[in-house]
Amino acid sequence: MDTTQRTDQQRSADRRRRELLEAADRVVLRDGPGASMNAIAAEAGITKPILYRHFGDKGGLYAALAKRHTDALLEALRAALDAPAERRERVEATLDTYLAAIEARPQVYRFLMHPAEGGQPGDAGFDVGKASAPVLRRMGEELAEVIEERVDLGPGSQQLARVWGHGIVGMMHAAGDWWLGERPCTRAELVRSLADLLWGRLAAAGDRVGGPGF
Amino acid sequence: MDTTQRTDQQRSADRRRRELLEAADRVVLRDGPGASMNAIAAEAGITKPILYRHFGDKGGLYAALAKRHTDALLEALRAALDAPAERRERVEATLDTYLAAIEARPQVYRFLMHPAEGGQPGDAGFDVGKASAPVLRRMGEELAEVIEERVDLGPGSQQLARVWGHGIVGMMHAAGDWWLGERPCTRAELVRSLADLLWGRLAAAGDRVGGPGF
DNA sequence: GACTCCAGTTACCGCAAGTAACAGTTTAGT
DNA sequence: ACTAAACTGTTACTTGCGGTAACTGGAGTC
């Protein structure tokens, strides 16, 4: 029962866990977010209880799965966010990176954003936002950090940055979701339109004929 | 089987339907989005099959329920959007109306935004966005209409307005969701911060010390 | 060789969606 | 008045999923 022994076991368990996650990934990508534990186990060549031993419950498995993809996505976003360029270019690069990601793998995106809850009704009260897609939260928080650290916002900058972080992420997400469903324009056009919005073009635009505009 | 007769029946059915929806409303508000059909039927003083006769399946019931609340919310938003004031004031009024609504009835909000899917795995392919919360889509579309109709955006205005409609709604939604969970500031502060964001303050702000800002 | 772990299995429980088949009651037709 | 439809409601069932208990076989350890 010395250290190497234990490390071996742990390594084996970790490898197994990765294999299971990869199998789960395949199934979720094939069957959608409603994929059953049985299906995942079958894909991995084993049976349900093993999944439960590794991940506790379905939420655990999905959380682990989501973490993988979220980490990957955040990595890509960070790169775009930290690129050496001026602000507008960075914003556009970040938007484009996100949109390219959801465009390339819509199933992954769908899984991350609409995890299909499934919470038993016997659960506790309404912890609003707790069951919501945590991906957006993480993205919002990270963006807030970058903003607060890079942009000079005067007093109350931290709160402002957080609001903006979550707001911008939400804008990106909603616009991306809609765009992915309808494909009304190219990705570049979408990026440009959103950046224009953030650059205050709504405030700068004139009214249309007939009274005060929106 | 003349017309009046049939109308009577239809009226009765409609009344029943409303009663059922109100019962469902109570249960969903009490038990959360995972409320079971049995529970709803019990609250209405009847049993499951009747619910199924009226609404087809759980999705139908939830859709009907969501439509009610969505209509009410959109009504309120339209009022704020059409108020006689200048643009910035309207934007703030609209944001505040939305936030006040979700603040007043977080359970309703939660139900509308996170309907807990539940789609059987045997379903068709990934119609991304189809199962997504339709509330946001409707809000986005309506806002787009208002923008396109009131603001002079030059060529390509329709597409731009739609992108902005969905983007702004998403911003409002995400920021509201986060705010409702953490309550980091007052509603008025949040409204102001978001309006500032839309008014291009991010673009106008200076860089912080040490290199180009975000 | 007996002992202990561990991966893995089968077989089950509870619960919720959805359905089939049956029963009471009002309404229409003759 | 008597039957037939149509509507409302019920009980009792099937199916399928999440989750668990209890057993089984094989690896290493004393």
Side-chain angles (χ1 to χ4, degrees), chain B:
Chain B
M1 214 209 256
D2 67 329
T3 343
T4 45
Q5 205 79 349
R6 238 184 119 192
T7 315
D8 271 11
Q9 281 175 190
Q10 205 149 319
R11 268 192 195 169
S12 163
D14 279 11
R15 249 191 49 207
R16 202 82 183 95
R17 187 187 165 93
R18 260 199 302 278
E19 288 172 18
L20 296 185
L21 276 178
E22 273 158 31
D25 215 29
R26 263 171 281 152
V27 175
V28 166
L29 258 51
R30 169 163 34 85
D31 295 354
S36 82
M37 293 298 267
N38 255 327
I40 294 173
E43 171 72 27
I46 50 151
T47 49
K48 263 195 303 178
I50 304 185
L51 281 182
Y52 283 96
R53 281 226 258 273
H54 273 269
F55 301 103
D57 63 351
K58 191 172 189 175
L61 204 182
Y62 275 41
L65 208 52
K67 186 167 180 341
R68 279 178 117 216
H69 287 120
T70 302
D71 288 348
L73 180 58
L74 280 174
E75 199 68 26
L77 289 181
R78 257 189 294 260
L81 221 40
D82 285 342
E86 56 180 309
R87 202 177 296 165
R88 166 100 189 199
E89 258 179 274
R90 286 181 178 201
V91 169
E92 293 198 358
T94 305
L95 288 170
D96 193 65
T97 299
Y98 173 81
L99 294 171
I102 72 172
E103 183 182 27
R105 316 176 105 237
Q107 301 99 330
V108 173
Y109 160 73
R110 190 142 162 48
F111 165 71
L112 287 180
M113 298 305 180
H114 311 291
E117 302 211 0
Q120 284 288 85
D123 270 354
F126 298 91
D127 196 342
V128 174
K130 149 81 170 26
S132 173
V135 198
L136 295 179
R137 292 297 179 94
R138 280 185 65 189
M139 286 173 59
E141 288 296 328
E142 295 225 15
L143 179 53
E145 269 177 46
V146 175
I147 292 177
E148 219 260 322
E149 158 188 319
R150 300 285 186 109
V151 184
D152 183 16
L153 292 172
S157 70
Q158 189 175 336
Q159 213 158 83
L160 201 54
R162 294 188 77 200
V163 172
W164 287 7
H166 290 282
I168 292 173
V169 164
M171 178 201 79
M172 184 169 79
H173 166 238
D177 195 58
W178 162 75
W179 172 74
L180 202 54
E182 304 204 3
R183 290 306 186 98
C185 59
T186 69
R187 209 172 73 213
E189 284 169 339
L190 179 60
V191 167
R192 194 185 157 81
S193 301
L194 290 176
D196 277 356
L197 176 59
L198 288 175
W199 251 250
R201 215 180 127 191
L202 171 64
D207 292 347
R208 253 201 170 144
V209 291
F214 166 69

Side-chain angles (χ1 to χ4, degrees), chain A residues 4-210:
Chain A
T4 44
Q5 203 80 345
R6 242 184 115 191
T7 315
D8 273 10
Q9 280 176 194
Q10 204 148 320
R11 267 192 194 166
S12 163
D14 280 11
R15 249 192 49 208
R16 202 79 183 97
R17 187 187 165 92
R18 260 199 303 277
E19 289 173 18
L20 297 186
L21 275 177
E22 272 159 31
D25 215 29
R26 264 171 280 151
V27 176
V28 166
L29 258 50
R30 169 164 32 89
D31 296 352
S36 82
M37 294 296 268
N38 256 328
I40 294 172
E43 170 73 27
I46 49 147
T47 50
K48 265 197 303 180
I50 303 183
L51 282 182
Y52 284 95
R53 279 224 256 275
H54 273 269
F55 300 102
D57 63 351
K58 192 174 188 174
L61 204 180
Y62 274 41
L65 209 51
K67 186 167 181 343
R68 280 178 116 216
H69 288 121
T70 302
D71 288 349
L73 179 57
L74 279 174
E75 199 67 27
L77 290 181
R78 256 189 295 261
L81 221 40
D82 285 343
E86 54 180 312
R87 203 178 296 166
R88 166 101 189 198
E89 259 180 274
R90 284 178 180 204
V91 169
E92 293 199 357
T94 305
L95 288 170
D96 193 66
T97 300
Y98 173 82
L99 294 171
I102 72 172
E103 183 182 28
R105 317 177 104 235
Q107 302 100 329
V108 173
Y109 161 72
R110 191 140 161 50
F111 165 71
L112 286 180
M113 297 306 179
H114 311 292
E117 305 211 359
Q120 286 286 87
D123 270 354
F126 297 92
D127 194 344
V128 174
K130 148 80 171 26
S132 171
V135 198
L136 296 179
R137 292 299 179 93
R138 281 185 64 189
M139 285 172 59
E141 287 297 328
E142 295 225 12
L143 179 54
E145 269 177 48
V146 174
I147 292 177
E148 219 260 322
E149 158 187 321
R150 300 285 185 109
V151 183
D152 183 15
L153 292 172
S157 68
Q158 189 177 337
Q159 213 158 78
L160 200 54
R162 292 188 79 198
V163 171
W164 288 5
H166 290 282
I168 293 173
V169 164
M171 178 201 80
M172 184 169 79
H173 166 238
D177 195 57
W178 162 75
W179 171 74
L180 202 54
E182 303 203 6
R183 290 304 186 99
C185 59
T186 68
R187 208 172 72 213
E189 284 169 338
L190 180 60
V191 167
R192 196 187 156 83
S193 301
L194 289 177
D196 277 356
L197 176 60
L198 287 176
W199 252 250
R201 214 181 126 188
L202 171 65
D207 292 348
R208 263 217 159 128
V209 290

